Amino acid sequence: VDGNNEVHPGFIHRRLRTHEKREMQKEILSILGLPHRPRPHLSQGKYNSAPLFMLDLYNTISSDEKSQVEGLLDRYQSTRTTQSPPLTTYQETAFLNDADMVMSFVNLVEYDSEFSPQRRHHKEFKFNLSQIPEGEAVTAAEFRLYKECVSPTFRNDTFQLKVYQVLKEHPDREADLFLLESRSLWAAEEGWLEFDITATSNLWVMSPVHNLGLQISLETSSGQSITSKEAGLVGRDGALEKQPFMVAFFKVSEVYVRTTR
Amino acid sequence: STGGKRRQQNRNRSTQPQDGSRGLGPADYNSSDQKTACRRHELYVSFRDLGWQDWIIAPEGYAANYCDGECSFPLNAHMNATNHAIVQTLVHLMNPENVPKPCCAPTKLHAISVLYFDDNSNVILKKYKNMVVRACGCH
């Protein structure tokens, strides 16, 4: 079709045969670097927090083609809560400027594991990073949790939120944990909380057997252990658009070579 | 090998100057040259028509475009001809049986971003380079 919306006279019109159509679809999938057409299991998936967050990023970069990366960075920064630390380091900004793929991961844990009495309020999160295309290296990764304003019982309190990487699981005793971050939260604050898990994600991508997930724990200022729900953190039973997820930024580290067919 | 038949088809094409066209006006060249000149044509790849909306969240499709037309002397009639296209044309004129004319091909390509689900319902936002033909020229 030309600029006047008229069909180009030299264009040969014919309907593709079924096998030609299939081959053409394979070629387009190959251009997209996909071995086959993905078959996601979506119930309400499109309205979940991760796809909505990613769609926001997409809309921003699509609306400003000239400054795609800057747009991505701006949008990304604007999604952060006022209470959370800004992207201040030169290294973080450089990572985001370099990103040519962003990927979000849904939390796979349906129910929390049976933890010991000491860790009975720990909450577990697991993400599948096994399908990262070859040649993609993690430049930045964040674990995102949504916090709502809590009930009046704790309104003037502060909580200590700790995020751990699970190092090793044992059948007869508690898992070995590595503290990634400890953060104070106001009970009344509301919005997304982001935790830098770049190093952890890199380990998981390079060595999938070490991907045993994350755990979080919460304590009041008096040291009392509380559940994440009591602290206002949205879990599986919460709103779809506030579900926890992780997001990772990647950079192509190898020249992409199309496979021989 | 398909030159004769192709040229006949090309003569019937309508003139549609490409964006940013410069150089001599239409009166300076033979009108048939203008009609068959190398230029960009629109071609939309629709993910919706492929029935891929279940895994591609955005876009619904993209204007991939393609290049088509003749690259014949004088090359000024064609936008974005490379310097080597002139050499290629001269050699073709000297030995038309063995040396082909310059090719009408993309000179400017742009990227698109695609947002899609993978098999695990994770979401990928990826920039694909060289997906959209912005300008065509003779190489």
Side-chain angles (χ1 to χ4, degrees):
Chain A
V1 179
D2 67 16
N4 299 323
N5 225 24
E6 288 171 359
V7 175
H8 179 325
F11 201 90
I12 302 163
H13 279 269
R14 79 174 170 82
R15 196 169 284 277
L16 293 177
R17 294 184 189 97
T18 308
H19 76 275
E20 287 176 324
K21 197 173 174 181
R22 207 176 298 126
E23 287 300 315
M24 191 58 72
Q25 290 186 12
K26 270 190 200 170
E27 293 291 351
I28 297 171
L29 286 170
S30 175
I31 288 168
L32 297 176
L34 298 168
H36 62 272
R37 172 189 172 154
R39 302 273 180 198
H41 304 288
L42 302 170
S43 49
Q44 294 167 303
K46 283 191 179 181
Y47 307 103
N48 219 319
S49 52
L52 292 173
F53 172 81
M54 297 293 280
L55 192 57
D56 260 9
L57 290 183
Y58 171 84
N59 287 334
T60 305
I61 60 173
S62 299
S63 64
D64 189 2
E65 280 186 18
K66 286 181 184 173
S67 54
Q68 285 198 350
V69 174
E70 285 84 354
L72 185 73
L73 178 60
D74 291 346
R75 181 69 194 99
Y76 187 65
Q77 284 176 325
S78 71
T79 60
R80 304 171 77 90
T81 59
T82 50
Q83 293 86 357
S84 56
L87 288 172
T88 49
T89 66
Y90 171 79
Q91 199 177 28
E92 269 186 316
T93 309
F95 279 152
L96 287 163
N97 281 337
D98 279 348
D100 51 21
M101 183 175 97
V102 188
M103 195 165 172
S104 69
F105 302 88
V106 289
N107 177 28
L108 300 173
V109 179
E110 195 71 42
Y111 303 103
D112 287 333
S113 306
E114 289 288 326
F115 295 113
S116 66
Q118 289 77 24
R119 292 182 180 174
R120 70 184 190 281
H121 290 150
H122 276 226
K123 201 165 177 63
E124 192 178 30
F125 302 87
K126 282 189 176 172
F127 306 98
N128 185 349
L129 276 73
S130 65
Q131 286 201 349
I132 308 298
E134 267 187 57
E136 300 279 353
V138 178
T139 56
E142 284 189 341
F143 171 48
R144 296 173 65 91
L145 288 168
Y146 194 88
K147 186 187 172 308
E148 290 180 328
C149 188
V150 297
S151 62
T153 320
F154 294 108
R155 191 166 287 276
N156 295 320
D157 211 341
T158 56
F159 306 124
Q160 201 64 30
L161 169 61
K162 289 180 178 172
V163 178
Y164 303 92
Q165 176 188 336
V166 180
L167 295 179
K168 197 169 184 181
E169 286 170 334
H170 305 283
D172 52 346
R173 59 186 172 94
E174 292 170 345
D176 298 336
L177 304 179
F178 175 72
L179 179 65
L180 294 173
E181 191 172 335
S182 178
R183 189 182 295 182
S184 292
L185 306 172
W186 287 103
E189 78 180 73
E190 179 153 1
W192 284 101
L193 306 168
E194 299 92 18
F195 300 89
D196 184 357
I197 54 165
T198 307
T200 304
S201 304
N202 260 315
L203 173 72
W204 290 350
V205 170
M206 289 192 292
S207 177
V209 291
H210 288 104
N211 184 355
L212 301 173
L214 301 172
Q215 283 187 21
I216 62 166
S217 70
L218 282 137
E219 285 180 3
T220 60
S221 53
S222 58
Q224 181 196 348
S225 176
I226 56 169
T227 64
S228 57
K229 196 172 183 179
E230 286 174 310
L233 296 177
V234 177
R236 286 208 160 256
D237 52 348
L240 284 175
E241 71 274 14
K242 293 174 182 174
Q243 293 294 308
F245 66 96
M246 71 164 275
V247 59
F249 294 78
F250 297 87
K251 184 175 171 56
V252 177
S253 57
E254 289 174 13
V255 176
Y256 171 63
V257 181
R258 290 177 69 186
T259 51
T260 308
R261 296 183 298 279
Chain B
S1 60
T2 58
K5 195 174 176 183
R6 182 65 172 272
R7 269 193 296 277
Q8 194 58 45
Q9 281 179 345
N10 289 340
R11 281 198 190 97
N12 295 329
R13 289 175 190 170
S14 62
T15 304
Q16 185 66 44
Q18 193 172 337
D19 292 344
S21 62
R22 292 189 302 274
L24 301 174
D28 297 308
Y29 294 111
N30 184 313
S31 62
S32 67
D33 286 342
Q34 285 289 307
K35 283 175 186 170
T36 61
C38 169
R39 64 187 176 90
R40 189 186 69 172
H41 299 277
E42 284 185 28
L43 179 75
Y44 187 78
V45 175
S46 170
F47 295 138
R48 175 178 283 272
D49 286 352
L50 288 166
W52 286 356
Q53 305 104 299
D54 60 330
W55 64 276
I56 294 189
I57 304 167
E60 283 191 358
Y62 70 103
N65 302 326
Y66 70 100
C67 301
D68 188 32
E70 292 274 340
C71 285
S72 31
F73 195 79
L75 283 179
N76 274 351
H78 312 290
M79 279 63 66
N80 305 315
T82 61
N83 288 339
H84 197 269
I86 299 165
V87 178
Q88 186 77 29
T89 308
L90 291 173
V91 181
H92 165 75
L93 289 171
M94 289 189 287
N95 191 356
E97 293 300 317
N98 295 320
V99 181
K101 286 179 184 178
C103 293
C104 178
T107 51
K108 261 190 201 170
L109 291 160
H110 273 228
I112 61 163
S113 294
V114 182
L115 185 67
Y116 61 93
F117 284 105
D118 69 5
D119 289 326
N120 298 317
S121 303
N122 295 322
V123 182
I124 298 170
L125 173 60
K126 197 168 181 179
K127 190 163 80 178
Y128 291 94
K129 292 171 184 168
N130 305 333
M131 294 289 277
V132 172
V133 175
R134 278 291 171 90
C136 298
C138 296
H139 286 266

